[in-house]
Structure formats: structure tokens, C-alpha cells
Amino acid sequence: MKRVKVLFIHTLPVVSGSGLHALTTMQGLKYKGYEVEFACAPGGPLNEEVIKSGITFRPIKHFVHEINVFSDLAALFELIALMRKHKYDIVHSHNSKAGFLSRLAAKIAQVPIIIHSIHGFAFHEYEKPPRRALFILLEKLAAHFADMLIAVSTPLMEWGLRLGIGEAKKYRVIYSGIEIERFKINTDPAGKRAELGLHPDDLVVGLCAKLWEGKGHEVLLEAAPMIIKEAPCVKFLFVGEGELRPKLEKIVLTHGLKDYVIFTGFRSDIPEITAVFDIAVLASFFEGLGRVILEAMVMGKPVVATSVGGIPELVKDGKNGFLVPVADCKALAEAIACLLKDKSLRLSMGEAGRKMVDEKFSAERTTAEIEEIYQELLKKKGILK
């Protein structure tokens, strides 16, 4: 059989939900015999993990997060040159910036198959109207260049269709699965607690997400005094790194929370860290799916999260966790305090979440469903018989 050559493209080299999704999918496809390469901005932990996996890394040195006409045009030309030189059968992009530039570049370079995975849109209801209008226009344009749009949740697909981004026949929903076995390892929660400076009797509320705007860190800090009043032995663990850290640390000092909040920075030992949680929280203002929710659930942790994007497909209110409105620190505090005061409820909700993840959200299942799309399009284009 012809060895199919696939280029995955991600904007920044950060270990995020979309980055981990791309990494595990590439690893699965490589195991199945695909020739997989990865293009991204240089540096960063995501690229290190890609290289460790034996996957060829192609740096796109002009990729930047914010809109920059000169950098974006330079990145576009880098992508076109890369695609023309290596003659990929499939270009599969992730993220909004990489998604637009990669689809345009692949069209110009005449790549046979162009696929984009939607983990979220750059626009949302909190975005400024001119930027929102621009991003919607760009997504509509880029959708014409793609052979398939893969949404990581049903609400994302429905949102795109409501706005006229692509046609229904181009969409597929494939959930972002996780490496379940990686999170079923034997851990030493007591040892990890001691390493993090936690007391054996502390109840741990963990928020695992990059310290960027929109993940709800500030809302949790606003809710913290109310939670502490109900459960004085609580500790809040913020796992991740990002530009928001100085601002969050200032809030901690202003609210007198220094003895209750721990910033771990970037961690590669996420299963071991998650094992010390009593409750996992994701208070996002917008979210495509919420991969960290799956990681917490597979370890039997109940979840309190905002009812946005694809999160309600994971968190069934009252069954494996609680859903709360966006930016509602009172509702967030009440839900967390309810779980902190009821160990049996934490255990039953955690077990319900574990069962759901085992049945539906493995990385192997995600890779298999993506490969089905590849095979369908490869045959349709006459690349494979």
C-alpha cells in the first residue's frame, strides 16, 4: 500500500487541548504506518514531545498568536514552500490561525486533501464586534478550501453551521479522546501532595489549564473566599503556565488567599497531579470540548464546569459533576462547596465520569475515526484504490 504522507499543523508549541489531541493522533497514525510530520512555531514543550515520538518537526518561524500582517504573510509563504517541497497527500490543521493559513497554503500548493479540526473558534460572544466579524468571514472563506471539517463536539459543529461556516456535508464530529491507560497508572498521591506542600487533610480543588484569558481562573479566585468559609481545609491548585500568572498572583495577594492557592507552573506529570485532586474545575468562558475534564474523569474525579461549548456533552449535571453559568462565582462556589462537604457524592460522581470516558473517549477511538475519514477521501481522490 502507498505510504500516505500527512502534515499536521498547529500554531503555537504549547501543551493545550488541541496540541495534545494532535500529538496523540499523530502517534496513532504513525503506528498505523502513515508518514506523519508536524509544523508549528519553533520552541516549546509540544514540539519536544513531537520529536520524542519520532515525528519529523517542521518549524514555521513566523507563526504568532496575534494577527500580524507581515508575520502572517511570511508564515503563509513558509507553508506554501513546505507543502510544495514535500508533496503531502493530506494537510490536517488545528487552531484558528494555523487553520486559515494552512488551508489557504494547501489550496495554493495543490495538496490533494485538506482537513481542518475545529477545537474552538477565534470568535466568541466576548470578542469585540469588528474582530468577531473578521474572524467569521475568514472561517467562511477557509471552509471552502477544506475537504472536511472535524468538530470536537456537536455544539461546535452546530455553531459553525448557524453562522454559515461550511456546508453540513463537510462536517464530522469526532470527540477529542485521551490516552486512557496513561491515566490509569499507579500513583502516589500522598507523595505528590507532600511535594506540592499539601497537608494530608487538605481538600484539593484543581484547575488544569494554561493561564490565559477565558479559562476562568479569576472567577475561581473570586469564588474562593465563599468556598473557604464552607470548607476551611480547601486548597486551590492552578496547574499550568501563561501570560495571566502575574495578574492572578496579584489577585491572590489582594484577596488574602496566599495560604490557599498553589501555582504549579507547567507540569508534564499530569496524571500524578490530577490524582491529588478531590474536585476538578473548568470555569471557561468558551470551550470546544474540555479535554482536561476527560483527564479528570478517567481518574474518578467529579467535575464542576461552566455550561459552555462542548462541556455539557461531558458533564451531566448532577450525575458526574455540576454545570454552572459562565462568570457566576456564587454558583461556582456553591457547587464546589457542596462536593467538598459530601465525600460519598464526590466518589459516586467520580465513578460515573470514569465509566463514561472508558466507553466513549479513548485516543484510539479518535484516531480510528480520523483514519476512516482519511481513507474515504484518499479513495475518493484516487490516491488509494
Side-chain angles (χ1 to χ4, degrees):
M1 186 181 83
K2 171 182 162 49
R3 191 168 168 80
V4 178
K5 199 168 184 180
V6 186
L7 178 66
F8 273 66
I9 307 177
H10 195 267
T11 312
L12 300 180
V14 295
V15 177
S16 59
S18 59
L20 288 171
H21 171 93
L23 176 62
T24 56
T25 305
M26 286 189 292
Q27 290 169 333
L29 291 168
K30 182 174 180 286
Y31 178 77
K32 288 172 175 282
Y34 289 78
E35 186 177 343
V36 185
E37 297 185 1
F38 182 65
C40 185
L46 178 60
N47 296 341
E48 292 171 11
E49 293 300 317
V50 167
I51 293 167
K52 282 181 192 175
S53 297
I55 295 166
T56 299
F57 169 59
R58 305 289 185 186
I60 306 298
K61 64 181 181 179
H62 289 98
F63 260 160
V64 293
H65 179 61
E66 291 296 329
I67 293 177
N68 182 305
V69 174
F70 298 107
S71 293
D72 293 344
L73 277 173
L76 176 65
F77 289 124
E78 281 187 86
L79 288 166
I80 293 169
L82 177 66
M83 293 173 193
R84 283 178 170 167
K85 180 178 179 180
H86 294 283
K87 302 188 184 306
Y88 301 99
D89 299 298
I90 301 171
V91 160
H92 189 159
S93 60
H94 303 259
N95 309 127
S96 296
K97 170 70 74 72
F100 177 76
L101 293 176
S102 300
R103 280 178 279 177
L104 178 57
K107 193 69 175 176
I108 293 170
Q110 297 183 317
V111 175
I113 297 169
I114 306 170
I115 297 172
H116 178 59
S117 280
I118 304 170
H119 300 271
F121 290 113
F123 53 85
H124 45 79
E125 59 185 287
Y126 302 96
E127 186 61 80
K128 294 177 181 177
R131 282 170 60 90
R132 179 179 164 83
L134 173 62
F135 291 151
I136 291 173
L137 178 63
L138 292 176
E139 284 289 351
K140 286 181 177 181
L141 177 63
H144 288 294
F145 305 146
D147 295 288
M148 191 69 70
L149 300 168
I150 301 174
V152 298
S153 68
T154 303
L156 265 183
M157 177 185 70
E158 293 172 343
W159 188 13
L161 288 172
R162 280 198 305 273
L163 292 172
I165 297 170
E167 305 168 277
K169 65 182 181 181
K170 279 191 176 183
Y171 276 90
R172 298 283 175 84
V173 174
I174 299 179
Y175 297 115
S176 181
I178 64 168
E179 298 169 285
I180 289 175
E181 295 308 314
R182 179 176 173 236
F183 286 85
K184 288 191 173 179
I185 59 172
N186 291 322
T187 61
D188 177 20
K192 190 60 66 174
R193 279 173 170 263
E195 177 191 324
L196 293 167
L198 294 164
H199 189 273
D201 295 330
D202 286 337
L203 290 170
V204 180
V205 174
L207 197 166
C208 186
K210 55 183 181 272
L211 307 184
W212 287 9
E213 294 286 355
K215 291 295 182 181
H217 297 89
E218 294 151 294
V219 181
L220 181 55
L221 290 177
E222 289 292 329
M226 292 180 272
I227 298 167
I228 294 166
K229 186 176 180 180
E230 297 293 324
C233 58
V234 68
K235 291 290 188 294
F236 300 93
L237 208 60
F238 285 3
V239 184
E241 194 54 85
E243 59 195 23
L244 204 60
R245 182 162 178 167
K247 181 180 179 181
L248 296 175
E249 289 176 333
K250 186 176 180 181
I251 293 172
V252 167
L253 292 175
T254 303
H255 285 56
L257 298 171
K258 187 177 179 182
D259 294 334
Y260 296 94
V261 179
I262 298 170
F263 292 93
T264 72
F266 172 77
R267 302 290 298 220
S268 58
D269 56 342
I270 296 301
E272 293 83 359
I273 291 283
T274 306
V276 311
F277 292 1
D278 290 288
I279 302 168
V281 172
L282 190 61
S284 299
F285 284 62
F286 39 88
E287 197 72 51
L289 184 66
R291 185 186 179 89
V292 293
I293 292 175
L294 295 173
E295 295 174 348
M297 284 181 174
V298 81
M299 298 197 76
K301 308 301 177 182
V303 176
V304 177
T306 42
S307 184
V308 295
I311 291 177
E313 291 200 86
L314 307 182
V315 181
K316 305 304 178 184
D317 192 40
K319 294 182 179 178
N320 56 15
F322 290 120
L323 291 171
V324 298
V326 173
D328 191 332
C329 60
K330 185 173 184 294
L332 184 66
E334 289 173 351
I336 292 171
C338 174
L339 280 168
L340 289 175
K341 293 189 290 184
D342 192 336
K343 184 176 181 179
S344 64
L345 183 60
R346 293 200 302 271
L347 293 174
S348 64
M349 284 188 166
E351 184 56 30
R354 190 203 310 271
K355 288 180 179 177
M356 187 193 73
V357 176
D358 282 347
E359 292 170 2
K360 298 181 179 179
F361 294 98
S362 72
E364 291 80 8
R365 179 170 177 165
T366 299
T367 301
E369 291 179 359
I370 288 173
E371 188 188 14
E372 283 181 15
I373 290 174
Y374 285 9
Q375 291 292 315
E376 174 188 326
L377 292 172
L378 286 164
K379 290 171 183 174
K380 183 178 178 182
K381 302 274 184 171
I383 298 169
L384 293 181
K385 296 192 186 289

